[in-house]
Each structure stands twice: as structure tokens, then as C-alpha cells.
Amino acid sequence: MPLTAGIVGLPNVGKSTLFNAITHAQVEAANYPFATINPNVGVVEVKDHRVDDLVKIFKPKKTIYTTFEFTDIAGLVKGASQGEGLGNQFLSHIREVDAICHVVRCFDDPNITHVHATIDPLNDIEVINLELIIADQQSIEKSLGKVERKAKAKDKDGLVEFALLSKVNEVLLAGRSVRTIPLDKNEQEILKSYHLLTAKPVIYIANMSEDEVKDPENNAYYKIVKAFAESENSDVIAICAKIEEELSQMEDEEKAFFLEELGYTESGLDKIIKATYHLLGLWSFLTGGPDECRAWTFRKGMKAPECAAVIHTDFQKGFIKVEAYHYEDIMKYGTEQAVKDAGRLRIEGKEYMVQDGDILHFRFNV
């Protein structure tokens, strides 16, 4: 399945406009191999110039980019953790995503009423974060008693887990998110099973006016969002959701011209996707040939058999070895045969750590 990001935000901050842009740009259902696309899910292609370059070389019958899912998470208002708005339904949707894209209003417009009657980005952020913190704190408190009994019985794992949950609970009670806690690998693994909302990485999306998005540092609201994001080591991206919606309805040539007119090198949506990839530690490996050129998403640090499973689990089960060379090699030498003749194609085994931009051909036997 593809990686997913949940789009959250208070009413009238531009969340729906951004999601409209995503759904207009989404891949056709026929090109989406996983399931019927739900109404609140937008599946977009992750544009990759390396795939385009391979297409020029291999001239394949089919071209497939990797995809990314955005889930529009509605119903978040003050009191969501107590069931207000869509309450628990909203929180359950959040638990299922890998990262959170938090849209914050950073523009003035008397024609668009703010739910709190005033533009205050920091308050908007804190309202949502507090609801997530309260929900996590309730979840941890329910588990503490059970884990404490294991700890009192001198269970080794129970002692470690109880100490960790106690630390997490203190942070939540202080009104801070779990992602602000330095955790070692073992602690991260323990907390995975709790699906804590505030442990998920966040990108803050500052939604600005068309005039101001070109120079966000001159926007006072943006500076507030940026300062808060930096305080918890999160990223912030300035966009204009209205522009993104317009771009999503254009053909590629018209879109490129419009971006050039605006002085942009890429759309805000592309920036969000790239930032989310970086946030989640995602890379892409490539496959190329006369039948198909394709990009595949994997997590940084995965070995060859794990990447083989991204294509098909049988590839991992019967993994023998992998032929590997890099995108830069084929761009330098021009053809796959020339890459081989130059000695740049390698045969790697099960311990090979796949790199971003590797072009792979798996050998397997099932």
C-alpha cells in the first residue's frame, strides 16, 4: 500500500480547497492498483524526472510513477477528543495515516469567516494539537494500570514499558506532543503499537494569499507558524491553496507555463509531497525495460530482499540476488548495455542496502 498523509485543519483555513486540488490531480482509478478510492482519499502521482528520462531511453509500453495518498480528515473542532464534531471518527482516521499535514490559515479575508472570529495561527495550531494530546493522554492512562501490574511483577519488558509510558504521560499532561520526546529505537518500537496521534511527524502548511505566497517571510502569520514548527523540529511550507486548485485543473503544458509566469519552479503540492517523503525517510528505486518504466517507494535503510517485496512478496521469498546500477550511470552511458560494458552494473546479495535512484532487476525463484 502507498504511504499516507492526513490533512487536518480547522474550518475555513483552506483545507478543503487544498484537498480539492489533490483530488483534481489524482490518478485515475484504473491506474491505482490497490482499491476503490474512497471519497475522502486523494491519490496523486509523485512526479519523478528520473522516470521520464528512463522512458526516453527504454521507450516502454507503460510508464508508472509511484503514488502518495492524502486523506481529508474532517470533523476536527475544539472538543473533538470528547466527541464534538465527528469526534472519534476523526481520531480513528488520524491513527491510520503515516504523517500529518496541518493546514493553518495565514491570510486575511473579510469574506471568509474564521471559526474563532479572528486570525490567530498559533491558537489554531494549539486547538488541534490539544485535541490530539488529550486523546493520546486518555489512551496512555488506560494502558498504564495494566503495564504497571507487569512492572510490579518484576517483568523485565513490563518495567521498561511502564517507565516509558510514565514519561510519555508526563509530557502529555504538560501539554506537549510525543514527537518532542527524544526516543531510542527500542522506545520507538514499543510506542508503535499504541498508534499515538502526537507521535506522528507533522508538516505545517501555511495557506497564504496569492500575492503574499511569493515572499512568505514578509507575512507575519507565516513567521508565527514557522517559529512554532521550528520549536518542535517540524517543517513548514507556504502555499496558496487557491493557486493549487487552479493548477490541478490545467494540462501539463498550461501548468508549466502558469508556474513559469508565477516564478515558481514547482507547485505547492509537489513541495508538500517532497517534504513528506523526506519527513518519512522515503526513497525511490527504479525499474526499466521495454515493457515498463516505474518508480517504487521504499524506506531508507531497507535491504534488497525487503525492496523486492515492494514489487511482490514472492520476489522476497525466492530472492537470489539483484542486478543494480544507478540512474546516474545510465544517464552517463546512454544504454543499459553500455552501463554493463563500463563495468558499472553490480550483482548484489541479501545484505545490499538499496540507494535512492538505484535501477534494479531482481532474480528470484519461487
Side-chain angles (χ1 to χ4, degrees):
M1 295 295 286
L3 276 294
T4 60
I7 302 176
V8 305
L10 292 173
N12 293 343
V13 298
K15 182 171 71 72
S16 296
T17 306
L18 176 61
F19 188 71
N20 285 341
I22 289 167
T23 53
H24 281 137
Q26 94 177 8
V27 297
E28 294 179 17
N31 295 328
Y32 183 57
F34 300 103
T36 300
I37 301 173
N38 295 323
N40 68 326
V41 175
V43 185
V44 295
E45 290 179 328
V46 180
K47 296 298 183 183
D48 191 329
H49 71 90
R50 297 172 301 186
V51 175
D52 299 329
D53 290 336
L54 291 187
V55 167
K56 294 173 186 175
I57 293 169
F58 289 105
K59 297 177 174 54
K61 298 172 186 173
K62 189 187 296 185
T63 304
I64 302 177
Y65 299 94
T66 188
T67 57
F68 201 95
E69 268 191 16
F70 287 94
T71 302
D72 182 29
I73 299 172
L76 183 57
V77 293
K78 189 172 183 179
S81 58
Q82 310 299 323
E84 293 294 328
L86 295 181
N88 293 332
Q89 181 181 338
F90 156 78
L91 296 173
S92 68
H93 286 164
I94 276 273
R95 293 190 194 283
E96 294 169 6
V97 302
D98 299 293
I100 296 171
C101 293
H102 186 159
V103 183
V104 186
R105 179 170 168 175
C106 293
F107 65 89
D108 292 302
D109 187 334
N111 297 314
I112 304 176
T113 306
H114 190 282
V115 68
H116 296 145
T118 183
I119 310 300
D120 186 343
L122 189 57
N123 182 65
D124 291 359
I125 290 170
E126 289 176 344
V127 166
I128 286 184
N129 284 352
L130 181 59
E131 294 305 320
L132 303 185
I133 286 168
I134 292 170
D136 277 352
Q137 203 267 324
Q138 290 170 347
S139 178
I140 291 295
E141 278 200 340
K142 286 178 184 177
S143 301
L144 268 173
K146 180 181 176 182
V147 178
E148 185 177 18
R149 287 193 290 273
K150 288 171 64 179
K152 285 181 177 178
K154 304 300 181 185
D155 178 88
K156 185 179 177 181
D157 292 337
L159 287 166
V160 172
E161 190 168 357
F162 180 70
L164 174 60
L165 293 190
S166 298
K167 177 170 70 174
V168 168
N169 197 42
E170 285 180 15
V171 167
L172 292 168
L173 286 170
R176 288 167 48 215
S177 298
V178 175
R179 61 180 167 272
T180 64
I181 311 172
L183 299 170
D184 61 34
K185 284 187 177 180
N186 184 50
E187 290 174 324
Q188 290 174 17
E189 200 59 37
I190 292 170
L191 285 184
K192 266 185 186 179
S193 63
Y194 288 91
H195 303 289
L196 297 176
L197 306 173
T198 66
K200 297 181 185 296
V202 172
I203 293 174
Y204 291 97
I205 299 174
N207 184 23
M208 303 169 64
S209 69
E210 186 174 336
D211 293 332
E212 292 187 301
V213 73
K214 294 177 183 178
D215 190 7
E217 293 294 343
N218 281 331
N219 180 296
Y221 299 137
Y222 173 81
K223 289 181 180 179
I224 292 170
V225 177
K226 184 179 179 182
F228 181 85
E230 288 175 348
S231 74
E232 60 171 39
N233 294 318
S234 295
D235 290 336
V236 59
I237 293 175
I239 70 158
C240 173
K242 186 178 178 182
I243 289 177
E244 296 306 312
E245 190 172 24
E246 290 175 12
L247 283 168
S248 69
Q249 299 176 59
M250 297 178 183
E251 297 296 331
D252 288 346
E253 192 173 322
E254 184 186 8
K255 180 179 175 180
F257 177 76
F258 188 47
L259 285 171
E260 189 177 342
E261 286 285 298
L262 292 171
Y264 298 160
T265 56
E266 59 186 346
S267 70
L269 179 54
D270 287 337
K271 288 180 183 177
I272 293 168
I273 292 171
K274 284 184 179 179
T276 310
Y277 257 59
H278 176 73
L279 188 69
L280 294 173
L282 302 179
W283 278 350
S284 295
F285 70 85
L286 311 167
T287 54
D291 290 328
E292 177 183 282
C293 285
R294 185 166 182 168
W296 306 83
T297 300
F298 71 102
R299 287 191 183 276
K300 181 180 178 181
M302 286 173 64
K303 294 181 179 179
E306 296 173 289
C307 286
V310 172
I311 297 177
H312 198 289
T313 52
D314 283 350
F315 282 29
Q316 182 177 27
K317 290 174 185 175
F319 180 89
I320 300 173
K321 49 193 164 184
V322 62
E323 296 178 2
Y325 61 93
H326 201 267
Y327 160 78
E328 298 293 345
D329 293 327
I330 199 164
M331 294 312 296
K332 178 179 180 180
Y333 296 103
T335 67
E336 195 167 66
Q337 185 59 51
V339 171
K340 292 178 182 178
D341 293 342
R344 298 297 297 170
L345 186 144
R346 310 179 311 278
I347 304 297
E348 302 285 358
K350 292 183 178 180
E351 294 304 309
Y352 177 62
M353 203 83 76
V354 175
Q355 301 299 305
D356 185 45
D358 273 351
I359 299 173
L360 305 178
H361 175 67
F362 294 99
R363 296 183 185 176
F364 66 101
N365 182 27
V366 177

